[in-house]
Amino acid sequence: MPQMRPLDPAFPIDRQLAVDASNVVLVNLFTLDKADEDTFLKAWQDDAAIMKRQPGFISTQLHRAVGESPAYLNYAVWESTAAFRAAFMNPEFRAKLSAYPASAVASPHLFQKVAVADICVA
């Protein structure tokens, strides 16, 4: 299982899961040892396949850091925190977490779009 390091220690993912919100985006930054990239990618693919089948899942995209940094960013869109919470607690998903390399550190955080006048819509 990857180690968990919250992006915001004052409001970690377990507290975010208790907030009812719609149209949420999971941003999950992963850091790991370069030697573990292949293992990480296989583990991420397996757990993403589980998530993709869950109610409320909309999409996901994995990004790799530019250059030599073995950092990855997962961006996943969900209909609601309730949908993500159910998927995150799914026993099939939880069982797959042990496949991540020991060097992997995950920093998950939920976000919602923000409207900024003349720039972007929520």
Side-chain angles (χ1 to χ4, degrees):
M1 178 171 184
Q3 302 167 55
M4 299 292 265
R5 183 176 301 140
L7 285 179
D8 180 359
F11 208 73
I13 191 71
D14 60 327
R15 290 189 59 203
Q16 294 169 42
L17 291 173
V19 176
D20 286 326
S22 59
N23 302 314
V24 296
V25 174
L26 169 71
V27 173
N28 197 353
L29 175 65
F30 293 93
T31 56
L32 55 135
D33 291 342
K34 190 162 181 53
D36 290 333
E37 283 188 273
D38 288 342
T39 303
F40 166 80
L41 288 169
K42 176 65 174 135
W44 184 87
Q45 181 180 17
D46 289 347
D47 80 34
I50 294 167
M51 291 301 209
K52 188 176 177 179
R53 296 190 309 264
Q54 303 309 305
F57 172 87
I58 296 172
S59 67
T60 194
Q61 180 64 57
L62 185 65
H63 304 264
R64 187 186 186 282
V66 173
E68 297 300 315
S69 173
Y72 289 82
L73 178 93
N74 176 41
Y75 180 95
V77 182
W78 289 86
E79 289 179 359
S80 65
T81 52
F84 177 70
R85 180 175 50 244
F88 189 71
M89 301 313 254
N90 178 310
E92 182 184 13
F93 168 74
R94 303 297 288 180
K96 291 285 187 181
L97 293 177
S98 64
Y100 278 89
S103 70
V105 178
S107 298
H109 205 88
L110 293 169
F111 293 87
Q112 288 182 297
K113 285 183 179 182
V114 175
V116 178
D118 299 321
I119 303 296
C120 55
V121 298

